[in-house]
Amino acid sequence: MTLNWTCSTDDSDALAPDGEVMFAVDEDDDGGKLAIIADITQDDAWISVPLGVAQPLSQRR
């Protein structure tokens, strides 16, 4: 699943170029499920939260 979203800013030069953003479900070291969102075009550009507290994201551009 590819997710896209917009960023509110008055400075168009501050906008990041489009990357390739993906969503995945993985397990942590204790076997708990994690929701992960990552820009796979950048090193270390990801965030994860426990799957049980993850909120749905709408696809917007």
Side-chain angles (χ1 to χ4, degrees), residues 18-42:
D18 287 342
E20 189 169 346
V21 178
M22 300 184 80
F23 173 84
V25 176
D26 201 357
E27 289 185 356
D28 63 15
D29 293 337
D30 298 325
K33 299 230 183 254
L34 295 173
I36 302 168
I37 299 173
D39 179 349
I40 63 171
T41 64
Q42 301 291 321

Side-chain angles (χ1 to χ4, degrees), residues 1-60:
M1 172 189 306
T2 301
L3 301 176
N4 296 304
W5 59 86
T6 58
C7 176
S8 297
T9 182
D10 292 332
D11 183 4
S12 62
D13 291 334
L15 292 175
D18 287 342
E20 189 169 346
V21 178
M22 300 184 80
F23 173 84
V25 176
D26 201 357
E27 289 185 356
D28 63 15
D29 293 337
D30 298 325
K33 299 230 183 254
L34 295 173
I36 302 168
I37 299 173
D39 179 349
I40 63 171
T41 64
Q42 301 291 321
D43 289 336
D44 297 323
W46 59 273
I47 186 169
S48 67
V49 297
L51 185 60
V53 300
Q55 298 293 313
L57 297 174
S58 63
Q59 292 189 2
R60 300 179 352 172

